[in-house]
């Protein structure tokens, strides 16, 4: 499991470098899918299976569908993948930067175990993190109300921002 | 600073640099922003998991809701910009310079 | 905009700032900041013309990146020290990150470049909200973390004063000038923050009052550039006579209330034996004073060539609400004689 988590962390950094080196939006969205998958794995490795499930559902089920839709809006005839040299150079620079900076911080990596003890595994019938999320509905009720209010507010924000007054089409090409 | 902490901190800074130095598509900038929110989600989750703080597990959920709000507002701005400017190139955002 | 939607958005603005004020946990503070950002976006883009959408996009990118950085820095602090409290930022790395992110949110130099462009794209009412109400929540956080980095804070403040004075010099657009004046005023608040937070609150209060009267006057006169100011005597003669006083009060001249924060801040700096900083601050106020005087000159001493019909609009009754303008103008001119009362108003805040 330690080995797996190690691989997933490397995948996380590489995937983020792939997003941050700014290829065309399709490829960046693909990189973000990779990063979401890796972080699901890391969360499972640390014993948060419920949070990992939530992340998986929200990111892959909801958000990236939206991004795929709007990648169609911002499409271009000759997309720039990771093969083209400005993108690959930038990615290489980012990864090298991370590796170089890691020299300064690597002293503390091996002091303690960086794999969690996972006290939650036999907490109750369910895992500890799902119990913690359920607390949102009892003692965290105020925060839940705030979240709901913000979702409502965002509905109006999006409606007001995208309201076309007299300019009909989305894009005049 | 553990290895996990270093990994997601460096990923956060990478996506922040990507957001700062990027000048081409608004959508890519929004994707970088989304990657930053994803890293924040992982950071909050792992903090709660490592410290065995069950109560804090609700925090990442709220963060996820807010980041969904932010992403949808960003996409709405993308649509509004496609209406007014006809494109989503960030270079076109130069009407207010002087 | 539909009044129901408008009321929901204004409630969102109010709720966001209130949540940030009331929070002691970083996640809650971040939620308040995000609500503020989300709620003002449609207000900024309400006219849907390209400049407004551009300003909204820039504002959204800047604010959400800064808010995410604040939350990331506080989670770093939690990883390093196990604390989520706002007042328990102890590690220097998160302190510096949060200070820089908050100054990006506020528009302090050298992170101020977005502010003039964003304000230039808005109408004057939204510009007023952006340059007053939206500054409150980040400033509350900045005062609460009480950053223990004197070099960073002082240099941010000094650079802001100079950049605010220098940047506004050659502009003819009033909104850009007001944005630069906001940068300069924020610099004054930052410089004194580590010695006396009540003086910071006082400077913020006076800044809000004076900026409100400036924006409201320009809204009444329907003028957004220097050229339009030359015709304002034909639109509203009495406010044209009072407006130079408000502008000089923004510049900080003695018998007006804008002198009060500058006086007290320089006194405090001198008390802390920071004579050089105080001198620098006082001299950089002269830079700002130059463009305020330029606006006064255009407002009162010039009259553009005009036909007879163009000089009569003052006979028409204005439809705008003038009570806030009256209150803020008289406050921004007349507060200096009761300065002990004003000072005692902000003292119990901290």
């Amino acid at each position: 499991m330690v080995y797996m988590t190690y691989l997933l962390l490397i995948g996380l950094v590489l995937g983020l470098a792939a997003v941050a080196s700014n290829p065309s939006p399709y490829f960046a969205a693909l990189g973000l899918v990779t990063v979401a998958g890796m972080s699901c794995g890391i969360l499972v490795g640390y014993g948060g299976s419920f949070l990992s499930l939530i992340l998986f559902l929200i990111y892959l089920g909801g958000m990236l569908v939206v991004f795929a839709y709007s990648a169609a809006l911002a499409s271009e005839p000759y997309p720039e993948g990771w093969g083209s040299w400005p993108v690959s150079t930038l990615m290489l620079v980012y990864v090298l930067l991370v590796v170089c900076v890691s020299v300064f911080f690597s002293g503390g990596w091996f002091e303690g175990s960086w794999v969690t003890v996972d006290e939650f595994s036999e907490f109750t019938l369910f895992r500890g993190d799902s119990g913690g999320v359920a607390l949102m509905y009892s003692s965290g009720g105020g925060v839940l109300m705030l979240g709901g209010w913000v979702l409502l507010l965002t509905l109006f924000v999006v409606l007001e921002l995208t309201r076309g007054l007299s300019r009909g089409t989305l894009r005049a090409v | 600073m553990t290895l996990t902490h270093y990994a997601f901190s460096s990923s956060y800074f990478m996506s922040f640099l990507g957001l700062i130095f990027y000048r081409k598509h608004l959508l890519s900038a929004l994707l970088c922003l989304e990657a930053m929110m994803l890293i924040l989600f992982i950071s909050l989750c792992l903090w709660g998991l490592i410290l065995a703080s069950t109560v804090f597990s609700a925090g990442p959920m709220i963060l996820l809701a807010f980041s969904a709000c932010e992403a949808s507002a960003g996409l709405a701005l993308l649509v509004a910009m496609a209406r007014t400017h006809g494109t989503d190139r960030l270079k076109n955002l130069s009407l207010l310079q002087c | 905009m539909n009044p129901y939607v408008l009321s929901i958005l204004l409630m969102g603005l109010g709720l966001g700032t209130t949540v940030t004020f009331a929070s002691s946990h970083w996640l809650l503070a971040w939620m308040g900041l995000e609500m503020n950002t989300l709620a003002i976006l449609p207000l900024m883009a309400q006219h849907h013309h390209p400049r407004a959408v551009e300003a909204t996009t820039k504002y959204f990118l800047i604010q959400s990146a800064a808010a995410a950085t604040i939350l990331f820095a506080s989670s770093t602090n939690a990883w390093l020290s196990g604390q989520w409290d706002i007042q328990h930022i102890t590690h220097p790395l998160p302190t510096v990150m949060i200070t820089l992110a908050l100054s990006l949110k506020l528009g302090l130099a050298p992170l101020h470049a977005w502010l003039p462009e964003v304000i230039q794209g808005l109408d004057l009412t939204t510009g007023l909200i952006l340059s007053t109400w939206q500054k409150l929540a980040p400033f509350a956080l900045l005062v609460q973390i009480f950053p223990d980095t004197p070099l960073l804070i002082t240099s941010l403040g000094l650079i802001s004063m100079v950049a605010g004075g220098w940047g506004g010099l050659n502009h003819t657009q009033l909104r850009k000038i007001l944005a630069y004046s906001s940068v300069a005023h924020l610099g004054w608040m930052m410089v004194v923050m580590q010695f006396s937070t009540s003086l910071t609150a006082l400077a913020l209060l006076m800044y809000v009052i004076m900026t409100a009267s400036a924006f409201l006057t320009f809204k009444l006169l329907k003028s957004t550039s220097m050229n339009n100011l030359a015709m304002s005597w034909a639109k509203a003669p009495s406010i044209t006579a009072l407006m130079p006083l408000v502008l000089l009060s923004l510049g900080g001249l003695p018998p007006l209330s804008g002198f009060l924060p500058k006086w007290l801040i320089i006194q405090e700096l001198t008390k802390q034996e920071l004579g050089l900083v105080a001198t620098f601050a006082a001299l950089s106020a002269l830079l700002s004073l130059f463009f305020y005087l330029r606006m006064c000159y255009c407002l009162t001493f010039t009259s553009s060539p005009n036909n007879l019909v163009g000089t009569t609009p003052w006979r028409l009754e204005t439809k705008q609400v003038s009570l806030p303008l009256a209150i803020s103008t008289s406050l921004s001119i007349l507060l200096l004689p009761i300065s002990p009362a004003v000072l005692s108003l902000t003292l119990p805040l901290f």
Side-chain angles (χ1 to χ4, degrees):
Chain A
M1 200 60 214
V2 176
Y3 190 62
M4 267 312 284
T5 315
Y6 195 67
L7 280 185
L8 287 172
L9 284 177
I10 291 177
L12 180 81
V13 173
L14 285 182
L16 247 303
V19 176
S21 59
N22 288 306
S24 288
Y26 321 104
F27 297 105
L30 183 66
L32 202 54
V33 173
T34 319
V35 174
M38 295 295 167
S39 39
C40 283
I42 294 171
L43 287 184
V44 169
Y46 274 89
S49 49
F50 184 69
L51 288 171
S52 162
L53 174 71
I54 293 289
L55 180 66
F56 195 78
L57 286 180
I58 298 287
Y59 256 79
L60 305 188
M63 218 165 268
L64 285 169
V65 170
V66 181
F67 270 117
Y69 153 73
S70 38
L73 180 74
S75 64
E76 49 189 16
Y78 300 108
E80 206 172 29
W82 294 293
S84 69
W85 73 266
V87 176
S88 54
T89 313
L90 202 55
M91 191 167 159
L92 199 66
V93 166
Y94 280 140
V95 173
L96 279 182
L97 202 65
V98 170
V99 172
C100 292
V101 174
S102 75
V103 172
F104 295 103
F105 291 105
S106 60
W109 286 357
F110 310 106
E111 283 173 358
S113 160
W114 50 274
V115 176
T116 180
V117 184
D118 199 7
E119 293 175 0
F120 291 164
S121 63
E122 303 295 330
F123 186 56
T124 48
L125 284 179
F126 45 83
R127 309 263 326 187
D129 56 341
S130 62
V133 170
L135 276 181
M136 192 167 66
Y137 299 102
S138 56
S139 41
V143 184
L144 186 70
M145 289 289 289
L146 268 184
W149 160 254
V150 161
L151 287 169
L152 181 70
L153 180 73
T154 309
L155 177 68
F156 286 111
V157 167
V158 169
L159 284 178
E160 279 293 329
L161 280 179
T162 54
R163 209 166 52 134
L165 286 178
S166 56
R167 295 169 299 281
T169 58
L170 186 59
R171 195 175 176 199
V173 171
Chain B
M1 192 174 248
T2 58
L3 177 59
T4 318
H5 191 187
Y6 178 71
F8 69 71
S9 300
S10 56
S11 328
Y12 181 86
F13 280 112
M14 265 196 298
S15 48
F16 195 66
L17 286 179
L19 177 64
I20 290 172
F21 288 132
Y22 195 57
R23 295 281 184 273
K24 208 162 169 191
H25 283 290
L26 176 63
L27 185 56
S28 296
L30 291 178
L31 278 166
C32 282
L33 208 60
E34 213 43 52
M36 283 156 68
M37 300 313 283
L38 178 63
I39 297 294
L40 282 178
F41 180 82
I42 305 170
S43 156
L44 262 67
C45 281
L46 289 184
W47 186 81
L49 289 172
I50 283 182
L51 293 190
S53 154
T54 334
V55 185
F56 196 69
S57 304
M61 308 289 295
I62 297 294
L63 179 98
L64 207 55
F66 272 70
S67 73
C69 290
E70 214 180 83
S72 58
L75 289 175
L77 278 174
L78 181 74
V79 171
M81 190 177 153
R83 278 223 175 93
T84 53
H85 289 67
T87 175
D88 81 322
R89 300 272 170 153
L90 283 178
K91 278 220 169 69
N92 273 22
L93 293 180
S94 58
L95 293 175
L96 301 170
Q97 278 177 359
C98 67
Chain C
M1 190 180 284
N2 192 328
Y4 296 114
V5 177
L6 185 64
S7 65
I8 285 183
L9 293 173
L10 289 180
M11 272 159 63
L13 272 181
L15 185 64
T17 305
T18 317
V19 164
T20 310
F21 278 176
S23 59
S24 64
H25 193 284
W26 274 111
L27 187 64
L28 214 57
W30 175 81
M31 283 161 63
L33 293 176
E34 283 295 316
M35 284 161 78
N36 254 340
T37 308
L38 282 176
I40 203 172
L41 292 179
L43 293 176
M44 294 171 79
Q46 58 183 333
H47 295 304
H48 287 287
H49 56 73
R51 272 175 292 129
V53 171
E54 177 182 332
T56 316
T57 311
K58 285 180 177 170
Y59 185 74
F60 171 76
L61 285 179
I62 292 288
Q63 294 292 317
S64 47
T69 308
I70 290 170
L71 191 61
F72 179 73
S74 51
S75 91
T76 306
N77 186 54
W79 272 78
L80 294 174
S81 70
Q83 293 276 4
W84 277 102
D85 283 0
I86 290 179
Q87 309 202 336
H88 286 146
I89 293 288
T90 47
H91 200 274
L93 180 71
T95 312
V96 171
M97 272 170 70
I98 288 180
T99 312
L100 286 178
L102 283 174
S103 50
L104 178 61
K105 256 184 130 46
L106 286 167
L108 279 165
L111 306 167
H112 69 292
W114 60 273
L115 185 67
E117 300 198 1
V118 166
I119 288 192
Q120 178 63 28
L122 308 176
D123 59 349
L124 287 166
T125 321
T126 321
L128 172 63
I129 297 177
L130 193 75
S131 53
T132 55
W133 181 255
Q134 294 293 90
K135 308 263 188 214
L136 294 183
F139 230 103
L141 288 180
L142 199 57
V143 168
Q144 277 185 65
I145 61 172
F146 205 72
D148 191 22
T149 48
L151 188 63
L152 179 67
I153 296 291
T154 311
S155 50
L156 274 177
L158 288 181
I159 293 173
S160 301
M161 285 180 203
V162 175
W166 220 306
L169 281 187
N170 240 349
H171 278 294
T172 53
Q173 296 289 328
L174 296 180
R175 282 169 290 186
K176 285 206 173 183
I177 292 179
L178 284 176
Y180 279 112
S181 111
S182 143
V183 173
H185 279 274
L186 288 175
W188 281 88
M189 295 167 214
M190 284 297 279
V191 153
V192 81
M193 196 176 71
Q194 44 195 336
F195 306 118
S196 158
T197 41
S198 65
L199 279 187
T200 306
L202 174 74
L204 187 62
L205 181 71
M206 297 310 300
Y207 160 75
V208 166
I209 292 172
M210 292 185 296
T211 310
S213 55
F215 268 103
L216 289 173
T217 310
F218 292 144
K219 183 162 169 279
L220 187 80
L221 299 175
K222 296 192 188 68
S223 48
T224 53
S225 74
M226 288 268 191
N227 289 339
N228 295 351
L229 278 185
M231 276 309 293
S232 53
W233 60 273
K235 292 175 189 161
S238 54
I239 200 68
T240 311
L242 285 179
M243 189 56 196
L245 294 181
V246 172
L247 287 174
L248 293 179
S249 174
L250 268 170
L253 285 193
L256 306 166
S257 51
F259 179 58
L260 172 58
K262 290 198 167 47
W263 179 18
L264 292 174
I265 286 171
I266 287 183
Q267 185 198 15
E268 182 68 34
L269 288 177
T270 324
K271 248 193 259 171
Q272 306 285 342
E273 299 187 349
L274 290 171
L276 198 60
V277 175
T279 315
F280 201 68
L283 288 181
S284 72
L286 292 179
L287 283 173
S288 310
L289 193 62
F290 176 74
F291 57 76
Y292 295 129
L293 279 177
R294 220 174 136 214
M295 281 153 84
C296 292
Y297 178 74
C298 287
L299 194 65
T300 44
F301 296 132
T302 58
S303 67
S304 57
N306 217 331
N307 54 8
L308 199 59
V309 186
T311 58
T312 53
W314 59 274
R315 292 164 186 270
L316 305 173
E317 203 168 332
T318 175
K319 291 246 170 48
Q320 302 192 36
V321 183
S322 54
L323 185 64
L325 175 62
I327 294 174
S328 64
T329 307
S330 45
L331 282 184
S332 60
I333 293 174
L334 292 174
L335 272 188
L336 189 64
I338 54 163
S339 48
V342 181
L343 195 58
S344 64
L345 194 70
T346 58
L347 269 182
L349 283 180
F350 298 101

